[in-house]
Amino acid sequence: MEKFVFFGGKGGVGKTTVSCAYALKCAEAGLDTLVVSTDPAHSTADVFDQAFGDDPSAVDGHEGLWAMEVDPDEEVERHMREIRRRMNEQVSAAIVNEIDRQIELAHRTPGAYEAALFDRFVQVMREADDYDRVVFDTSPTGGTLRLLALPDFLGEWIERLVAKRTKSVDLFEKAAVGGREARRKLDEDPLIAHLQGRKEKFEFAGRTLREDAAFFVVLNPDELSIRETERAVAEVAEQDLGVEGFVVNRVTPAPDDDERGRGATWLRERVATERERIDEIDREFDEPVVAEVESRVREVKGDLLAAVADELAVDVDVASAEA
Amino acid sequence: MEKFVFFGGKGGVGKTTVSCAYALKCAEAGLDTLVVSTDPAHSTADVFDQAFGDDPSAVDGHEGLWAMEVDPDEEVERHMREIRRRMNEQVSAAIVNEIDRQIELAHRTPGAYEAALFDRFVQVMREADDYDRVVFDTSPTGGTLRLLALPDFLGEWIERLVAKRTKSVDLFEKAAVGGREARRKLDEDPLIAHLQGRKEKFEFAGRTLREDAAFFVVLNPDELSIRETERAVAEVAEQDLGVEGFVVNRVTPAPDDDERGRGATWLRERVATERERIDEIDREFDEPVVAEVESRVREVKGDLLAAVADELAVDVDVASAEA
């Protein structure tokens, strides 16, 4: 398995549960494992009955397991502050006010946080030297994955800007005495440096996601979930990334063979419908169903997590990345 | 009940099913009803086994019922084209290229579509004269609701701009002969007209949502769903909007009293857990649980929809809006 493991899928299918169970499995196999939760409902805290912050902290009672919770709102704040600071540095004072208003406007606009979140993911991946495995309880979605195309796009922009600026610096040099000063200015151009930084960041992200990351889709055995999965697989494929397989979560248990009554009938029919859906997944996708996890009567936490981890037939081996 | 009814709640709880069932109930009570679906998985089409587009069309076999599906991706395209067109009109040709790049960048940025979607909602509400009731299978979320604060924000911006421009026009008039020409230019200023239009649009939205809309939260009887609901209720309250009540969907049925076995045990424990959760909703929120809808063994469509509609104890009466 690759170092970075993402469990994607639509909301409510149980990504956090599956991620925590898998992280637990990895830790129990002796890997130093970090689970990164992004759920605004902070459910990693519920699963382990322990509060986590923006930096990794050890999970009580589980050796080799760390967890962190990324707060998307806070990431947006940070992002906006950074943009504002940079703008103030680079732009003539005259239009700073107008830009401040625009930033505020953008901040009120929904969705800024997906971008901020992706930035944070990249940072976590960059600083993950201490861990053998990092498990994310979500996967970048279509809009975010499209950010991986940014390096090409920014590259072009940077080239055009450099060409433009080189020209003006050349003119300046021809007119000026010495000229060394002007040339140095181009190297230090803060806008170009910033764009270059962004470009490198997204190049790193693209490279890491392609070479050292595995994507799983968590789904429930119902039609809607399968349809969403088609979209998720297509979006991931669009960026030359591959989905390793599917984790079918919340599979209804069958009653005993000799059970009769309203409950048993309901369960049997439900199990049959779900079996149809799982067969459909097998038929429609190239990627395998790697695990089926039974639906629990209560929320998965404490000892139940270990039981789920036992059912989660997802490989933890580090060496298989090279296979 | 108010004219505009929103069924919000987190992904996967069954908002589209509940919305379609409620719309069916309204139509059967004699109201001309439009159901607006925004689910990218296009599930209204599945529920009624019929394709719907961006304009309302009659639902086969159900008198008084219309449906439309808003495609968020298409809305974003339209939105971006419009911004580009307006920019091209208002901005000197010299920076149009740069702006085009910026727009493209923004387009690659995730989340633009929530804003575009909200724009479309407002348009639907504005053009809903033909219907007695309009049912939306989603509710604006926090980020989008914050857009309702835009009028104040834009008002301030417009005032500053008008003041600035009035001053320059005054200067121009003093210098020029006649001056009528210049004054007229201010009235026609396309940027100010645009901002004014946006302001009026969001004022309409805020007014309509406050006075003629009802918000319901659909949830499943589990902890995570309840926690999300706390957030959703708080977000709606933040904008002086009120949640009317909760629809608890996917409630597990109890087995017969005399059933014994693995299945019956599982069901009984599950029912007990869900009952705890529903009691928790009753205790923690001021708003009532208006309906409990039983979990089905198959996806809700065709005849099953009518069965769900029967269970959905949400008032359809138009007159009660004045009560």
Side-chain angles (χ1 to χ4, degrees), chain B residues 75-103:
Chain B
E75 290 308 313
V76 173
E77 284 293 341
R78 191 191 311 228
H79 210 68
M80 291 294 163
R81 273 200 306 274
E82 177 59 20
I83 289 174
R84 199 179 300 243
R85 189 192 59 70
R86 217 165 44 230
M87 286 291 184
N88 283 341
E89 269 172 15
Q90 283 165 32
V91 175
S92 82
I95 58 167
V96 161
N97 274 344
E98 217 53 49
I99 286 172
D100 268 1
R101 304 261 158 181
Q102 288 287 352
I103 290 175

Side-chain angles (χ1 to χ4, degrees), chain A residues 119-173:
Chain A
D119 256 32
R120 190 76 176 94
F121 277 14
V122 177
Q123 201 193 338
V124 170
M125 291 194 290
R126 271 188 156 162
E127 296 168 356
D129 287 348
D130 291 347
Y131 304 100
D132 302 311
R133 171 124 324 126
V134 182
V135 183
F136 295 85
D137 78 347
T138 187
S139 174
T141 54
T144 323
L145 283 173
R146 253 170 266 141
L147 288 171
L148 293 178
L150 268 180
D152 294 344
F153 174 74
L154 286 175
E156 202 187 296
W157 197 11
I158 292 169
E159 263 171 40
R160 285 187 320 119
L161 267 175
V162 170
K164 219 187 277 176
R165 301 222 168 176
T166 308
K167 204 168 145 197
S168 30
V169 171
D170 277 351
L171 287 173
F172 182 76
E173 280 186 340

Side-chain angles (χ1 to χ4, degrees), chain B residues 205-218:
Chain B
R207 202 169 50 239
T208 308
L209 292 179
R210 279 182 196 106
E211 292 169 10
D212 207 12
F215 297 87
F216 290 92
V217 177
V218 182

Side-chain angles (χ1 to χ4, degrees), chain A residues 79-142:
Chain A
H79 210 68
M80 291 293 164
R81 273 200 306 274
E82 177 59 19
I83 289 173
R84 199 179 300 240
R85 191 191 59 69
R86 218 165 44 230
M87 286 290 184
N88 284 339
E89 269 173 14
Q90 282 163 32
V91 174
S92 81
I95 57 168
V96 161
N97 273 344
E98 217 51 50
I99 286 172
D100 267 0
R101 305 262 159 181
Q102 289 286 353
I103 290 175
E104 219 170 301
L105 190 66
H107 199 169
R108 282 161 197 256
T109 299
Y113 93 52
E114 270 199 59
L117 205 58
F118 188 63
D119 256 32
R120 190 76 176 94
F121 277 14
V122 177
Q123 201 193 338
V124 170
M125 291 194 290
R126 271 188 156 162
E127 296 168 356
D129 287 348
D130 291 347
Y131 304 100
D132 302 311
R133 171 124 324 126
V134 182
V135 183
F136 295 85
D137 78 347
T138 187
S139 174
T141 54

Side-chain angles (χ1 to χ4, degrees), chain A residues 11 25 29 56 115 122 149 177 212 269 286 292 305:
Chain A
K25 242 176 119 84
V122 177
V177 187
D212 207 12
E269 285 176 13
D286 296 333
E292 292 183 24
L305 188 67

